[in-house]
Amino acid sequence: MTEHFFIETLMKRKFLVTLLIFVFVGCQRLPERPDGMPELTPCMISVTFGGERLSGVGVTLQPKDSTTNRWLAGGQTDADGRAVLKTAAHYKGVVPGEYSVMFQKFAEPELGKDGMPLPAKPLIPLKYSVGKTLEQITVTKDKAEYSFVLDGLEATR
């Protein structure tokens, strides 16, 4: 009887702890909008590479003029190659304006002979990454979806 009581009490405690975790996580809210954050407009980007929609692509929008817009936006493509963008990693939407668009996706890192991870290989040419991209976008309140077709050739510059 004592063993049964102990197991029953333990199960009740596990249930209560689990319930408290779900309540705590469920009650999490987004941080307050930062002071000075402009209104955001919905923005979704679809990405195709090599003729296929590509999942797991990191998409980053960097304002072309950081003196008038300091808000980065980004997201990651889903199985359909679409990314719903968020500003400051939390807030759905993008500040309307002009941006440079960067794309990154890397292969799973492999281990070297010494057991240390080797640098991950890019699956998208580096010409689409930070400081190299030629891709541009103007986000407006009138348009919510933008498409990019990436190619596999490196830029010659």
Side-chain angles (χ1 to χ4, degrees), residues 28-41:
Q28 292 289 325
R29 295 181 189 199
L30 289 176
E32 292 289 325
R33 280 176 60 102
D35 289 339
M37 178 182 274
E39 288 300 313
L40 305 176
T41 188

Side-chain angles (χ1 to χ4, degrees), residues 51-100:
E52 297 181 24
R53 292 182 181 266
L54 200 56
S55 67
V57 176
V59 179
T60 305
L61 270 58
Q62 180 175 352
K64 286 182 77 175
D65 182 2
S66 61
T67 60
T68 59
N69 179 4
R70 62 184 177 102
W71 301 99
L72 289 172
Q76 186 168 352
T77 59
D78 60 16
D80 293 326
R82 293 177 154 175
V84 175
L85 301 185
K86 293 181 179 180
T87 295
H90 295 290
Y91 309 96
K92 276 191 177 179
V94 175
V95 176
E98 294 183 6
Y99 293 88
S100 294

Side-chain angles (χ1 to χ4, degrees), residues 12-32:
K12 286 180 182 177
R13 285 186 181 167
K14 282 184 177 179
F15 173 76
L16 287 174
V17 169
T18 303
L19 181 65
L20 286 173
I21 289 171
F22 280 117
V23 168
F24 178 74
V25 170
C27 291
Q28 292 289 325
R29 295 181 189 199
L30 289 176
E32 292 289 325

